[in-house]
Amino acid sequence: MMAPAVFLLLVWMLVPLSMTLFFSFKKYLPLRGGDLGWVGFENYIRFVTSSSFWPSVQATLTIVGGVLLITVVLGILLALLLDQPMWGQGVVRILVIAPFFVMPTVSALVWKNMFMDPVNGLLAHLWKFFGFAPYEWLSQASLFSVTLIVSWQWLPFATLILLTAIQSLDREQLEAAEIDGAPALAKFFHIILPHLGQAVTIVILIQTIFLLSIFAEIFVTTQGSFGTKTLTYLIFQRVLESQNVGLGSAGGVYAIILANIVAIFLMRIVGKNLDK
Amino acid sequence: MAHIVLEKVEKNFSGVTVIPPLDLEIEDGEFVVFVGPSGCGKSTLLRLIAGLEDVTDGTISINGKDSTSVPPAKRGLAMVFQSYALYPHMTVRKNIGFPLRMAKMDKSEQVRRVEQAAAVLNLTDYLDRRPSQLSGGQRQRVAIGRAIVREPAAFLFDEPLSNLDAALRVGMRLEISGLHKRLKTTMIYVTHDQVEAMTMADKIVVLHDGRIEQVGSPLELYRAPRNLFVAGFIGSPKMNFIEGTKAEKFGAHTIGIRSEHITPSPTEGLWKGQVGLSEHLGSDTFLHIQMEEHNDPITVRSGGDVDMHHGDTIYLTPDANYIYRFDDRGLRIT
Ligand SMILES: Nc1ncnc2c1ncn2[C@@H]1O[C@H](COP(=O)(O)OP(=O)(O)OP(=O)(O)O)[C@@H](O)[C@H]1O
Ligand SMILES: [Mg+2]
């Protein structure tokens, strides 16, 4: 009785996929003549040879890598902190998780206008208070700013998964290490961190899949300027700004391939970790 | 070597007293067993000695030095946990060597000690495996290995055998006793199994609700229990207790008699009863006898080939030299 479900799933996935493939081999300019016939691999070649292609791959990887690094490192630290017994634990945990429930568009707007605005932003006021010229975050350190905004959104997710992992650590192992004479740092590196290995891989896997397609944060803040044009954003520009559906679809196919390479790569790591 | 003295040691968990003030002295080289029913505070007491819990009040001194606020690593004690608490991502070699690595011991000395411990514990072939690839008994030995490499002043064991099957338990019991004979290091061993306590201990500490009921050698506790609790706890099968008029005849509130000190007879005796269940163990037979005007059946040991059946009338004669008399507060009258 699985058949209908599998069929539905296939249609669900295959229709958009085959339409993307279909358009990628066509010259299709909706506002400038519509369907202008088959062009073979021309769109594919044009997409990668365009001067914006490699910078966009680089921007994508920088943002994904940066966010992963920040969320995993800070996530582990926060999880360690939240694991300590403290007053108001429940409230603190909810506060830490809160950013995850803010829509990406909203959080990007908040960061752009409330924190990073060079005239009215809180950070600008802080800089002025200490006698520095306000920093123009989104133009002078655009890539870093976007990374920061996205990290802020994904930190709760990483923290939550890592916190559950820390809580599943057998307390007697830590006590044994204590008796064996391990200082706090050694306990962290020899006991806690290896225990977290699996959770860290899962965080990396899930986040990578979602981070490859971040869009709203860039659309709202820099609109792809100042070197923040990611692959997703480039495809968006090709389809909607240049009204070139064929070229955009070819980009989409590249993105699918890239995502799959990453996914296979990560599945392997997770598979290996889960075997243990 | 360790001589451990607990003075007025007390432990509360958020206001609930788990261990009321308690004094205990553990001599150098002794094998001491803490025994008692579940929840009586055996683990807590052991963890206080290890330093994993802070005492609420009182002092713990090790070798004459007040160690009450000394951190666990500095007390020179090694502990074997009930769950073994091996480090799952390290090989057996790394697990055993971990305390040495933490002590920043010379590399070649580390290797030598790990290999020596592995040889003693028959683990040489498993040094490169991970804990998940070992059997329960092997894991147990790794945990012991990790304790002995440090050459601690005393070993603390918290129910180390409770996760093993019966046959393996007997084997490990002998191994631990053998280890104690060879190393002559103080060992404190927690168990709720009185057979383990009887067979391994030089000195047994019977705990009940955090209080020490009696301290003594296994035979002392067996022969001269101080009160009803100890009498009932030490010995298998459990000592028979009889109250009421039968006890009053002996001038006591309760009398206790062990199963081996009662002679059954089909024809004559002091007490009359009916045979209930009988357990044939081959060498011995334990008869459960339902007495008139007494609710709990009485257990009687007799030879391997008795001819008694369910429902038969039977007469029992206790050996007067082995009747233990207890007053109404449960203390033994001597
Ligand atoms: N961390 C803790 N917080 C509060 N109460 C505790 C804590 N640890 C132990 N207790 C309580 O202290 C009492 C003694 O516990 P303990 O673990 O020492 O028992 P035990 O004699 O080792 O029992 P078992 O044979 O089941 O291991 C129990 O009633 C337990 O509920
Ligand atoms: Mg216990």
Side-chain angles (χ1 to χ4, degrees):
Chain A
M1 282 289 102
M2 290 281 286
V6 172
F7 179 73
L8 202 71
L9 208 67
L10 274 180
V11 171
W12 183 263
M13 283 169 42
L14 282 180
V15 168
L17 184 65
S18 40
M19 276 175 71
T20 310
L21 274 172
F22 176 78
F23 283 121
S24 70
F25 292 105
K26 286 201 140 195
K27 187 169 177 117
Y28 185 59
L29 307 167
L31 295 184
R32 287 173 283 151
D35 189 346
L36 299 176
W38 298 96
V39 290
F41 280 94
E42 199 191 299
N43 285 327
Y44 286 90
I45 296 164
R46 263 187 72 189
F47 193 85
V48 287
T49 49
S50 111
S51 59
S52 354
F53 177 69
W54 285 111
S56 77
V57 171
Q58 214 177 355
T60 310
L61 294 182
T62 313
I63 291 177
V64 171
V67 173
L68 287 179
L69 189 74
I70 294 176
T71 50
V72 168
V73 171
L74 286 186
I76 290 176
L77 293 180
L78 260 180
L80 282 175
L81 205 68
L82 289 181
D83 186 42
Q84 306 300 317
M86 59 177 157
W87 188 82
Q89 203 165 36
V91 178
V92 173
R93 283 188 188 170
I94 290 173
L95 284 179
V96 168
I97 293 157
F100 202 50
F101 300 116
V102 179
M103 281 176 276
T105 337
V106 175
S107 83
L109 275 171
V110 167
W111 275 90
K112 180 186 178 185
N113 296 320
M114 250 183 85
F115 292 104
M116 293 176 167
D117 190 280
V119 180
N120 296 317
L122 283 178
L123 292 175
H125 284 302
L126 194 71
W127 255 240
K128 272 187 244 166
F129 180 79
F130 286 106
F132 298 109
Y135 197 65
E136 297 196 18
W137 290 91
L138 288 168
S139 48
Q140 285 175 294
S142 49
L143 214 50
F144 174 74
S145 303
V146 171
T147 307
L148 200 67
I149 295 172
V150 179
S151 300
W152 180 78
Q153 276 168 24
W154 282 91
L155 186 57
F157 173 77
T159 308
L160 207 62
I161 299 230
L162 293 166
L163 179 62
T164 17
I166 286 184
Q167 285 174 337
S168 75
L169 175 62
D170 177 12
R171 297 287 126 165
E172 288 199 343
Q173 272 181 40
L174 288 178
E175 290 177 349
E178 173 96 37
I179 291 185
D180 284 346
L185 224 54
K187 261 191 269 179
F188 175 72
F189 282 107
H190 291 294
I191 316 287
I192 298 176
L193 205 55
H195 175 77
L196 289 182
Q198 198 171 311
V200 169
T201 11
I202 288 169
V203 166
I204 291 180
L205 170 72
I206 295 176
Q207 286 198 11
T208 307
I209 289 169
F210 283 95
L211 292 178
L212 281 174
S213 59
I214 49 163
F215 177 80
E217 294 83 346
I218 297 168
F219 184 75
V220 170
T221 54
T222 61
Q223 306 247 313
S225 50
F226 308 114
T228 56
K229 198 184 289 171
T230 60
L231 204 53
T232 321
Y233 204 85
L234 183 65
I235 294 166
F236 159 76
Q237 282 190 335
R238 289 288 181 264
V239 175
L240 278 155
E241 288 178 8
S242 350
Q243 287 292 329
N244 191 336
V245 175
L247 193 58
S249 298
V253 174
Y254 279 123
I256 292 169
I257 295 171
L258 177 70
N260 273 291
I261 292 174
V262 175
I264 289 170
F265 188 62
L266 291 168
M267 288 288 206
R268 277 244 179 101
I269 305 176
V270 172
K272 241 183 235 152
N273 263 318
L274 293 183
D275 279 346
K276 261 189 267 175
Chain B
M1 300 291 108
H3 174 226
I4 301 170
V5 180
L6 278 64
E7 269 175 295
K8 304 223 168 28
V9 167
E10 190 179 343
K11 179 67 185 172
N12 299 344
F13 282 115
S14 44
V16 182
T17 305
V18 172
I19 309 232
L22 163 158
D23 296 293
L24 180 66
E25 185 165 354
I26 292 160
E27 304 288 343
D28 188 14
E30 243 180 351
F31 197 119
V32 178
V33 173
F34 293 170
V35 70
S38 188
C40 68
K42 307 179 293 288
S43 300
T44 307
L45 192 55
L46 196 71
R47 293 164 58 83
L48 287 171
I49 296 174
L52 292 173
E53 304 278 0
D54 294 325
V55 297
T56 307
D57 205 1
T59 56
I60 296 175
S61 50
I62 300 174
N63 286 333
K65 181 172 159 271
D66 182 355
S67 306
T68 316
S69 48
V70 174
K74 300 259 157 58
R75 297 193 182 191
L77 311 175
M79 183 150 168
V80 175
F81 292 83
Q82 181 173 358
S83 69
Y84 315 143
L86 300 178
Y87 311 127
H89 50 274
M90 295 185 202
T91 58
V92 170
R93 190 189 301 279
K94 289 241 174 81
N95 260 288
I96 298 181
F98 188 74
L100 306 181
R101 194 140 63 103
M102 288 301 112
K104 304 208 165 51
M105 186 180 278
D106 181 52
K107 280 269 160 25
S108 58
E109 174 68 6
Q110 284 190 24
V111 171
R112 194 187 65 77
R113 285 216 201 173
V114 169
E115 279 174 4
Q116 192 189 351
V120 169
L121 295 162
N122 283 325
L123 286 170
T124 310
D125 296 340
Y126 306 104
L127 277 176
D128 294 312
R129 292 210 196 166
R130 282 170 192 261
S132 58
Q133 300 165 313
L134 300 176
S135 73
Q138 289 162 345
R139 284 180 208 182
Q140 181 61 68
R141 286 206 288 269
V142 176
I144 294 175
R146 192 173 62 186
I148 61 177
V149 280
R150 297 176 55 195
E151 300 181 352
F155 290 95
L156 311 178
F157 293 94
D158 191 356
E159 307 205 23
L161 307 185
S162 57
N163 291 336
L164 302 179
D165 67 50
L168 205 52
R169 209 179 294 176
V170 175
M172 283 305 297
R173 210 159 77 193
L174 292 174
E175 273 188 53
I176 293 176
S177 294
L179 202 66
H180 179 245
K181 294 259 154 20
R182 198 143 28 90
L183 300 175
K184 299 192 172 54
T185 311
T186 313
M187 290 190 178
I188 306 178
Y189 188 104
V190 165
T191 180
H192 58 248
D193 178 352
Q194 57 97 11
V195 178
E196 269 175 35
M198 292 297 281
T199 51
M200 301 172 85
D202 293 326
K203 183 159 102 184
I204 297 181
V205 177
V206 182
L207 289 167
H208 182 210
D209 288 342
R211 276 174 291 109
I212 294 183
E213 295 287 346
Q214 193 170 0
V215 179
S217 73
L219 284 183
E220 262 169 44
L221 297 194
Y222 190 80
R223 292 197 184 127
R226 218 167 59 84
N227 56 29
L228 266 177
F229 181 81
V230 177
F233 197 80
I234 299 289
S236 168
K238 196 172 172 298
M239 183 186 279
N240 298 300
F241 292 122
I242 299 166
E243 294 175 6
T245 49
K246 288 198 182 70
E248 276 155 23
K249 278 194 198 127
F250 290 91
H253 180 266
T254 310
I255 55 169
I257 178 98
R258 294 198 189 277
S259 63
E260 65 264 38
H261 299 137
I262 302 176
T263 319
S265 151
T267 51
E268 56 180 355
L270 188 60
W271 301 326
K272 186 178 169 203
Q274 267 194 335
V275 179
L277 287 174
S278 44
E279 297 173 303
H280 297 275
L281 303 180
S283 57
D284 289 322
T285 300
F286 290 105
L287 302 169
H288 296 268
I289 299 188
Q290 192 63 51
M291 304 260 281
E292 303 161 329
E293 39 132 349
H294 181 71
N295 294 329
D296 297 328
I298 286 188
T299 315
V300 175
R301 186 176 82 176
S302 74
D305 37 41
V306 289
D307 193 27
M308 304 268 190
H309 299 283
H310 189 89
D312 287 358
T313 300
I314 192 169
Y315 296 89
L316 305 177
T317 312
D319 184 337
N321 294 327
Y322 291 99
I323 288 180
Y324 297 91
R325 299 180 304 143
F326 300 93
D327 65 18
D328 53 357
R329 285 172 307 150
L331 287 177
R332 190 156 73 91
I333 308 165
T334 47

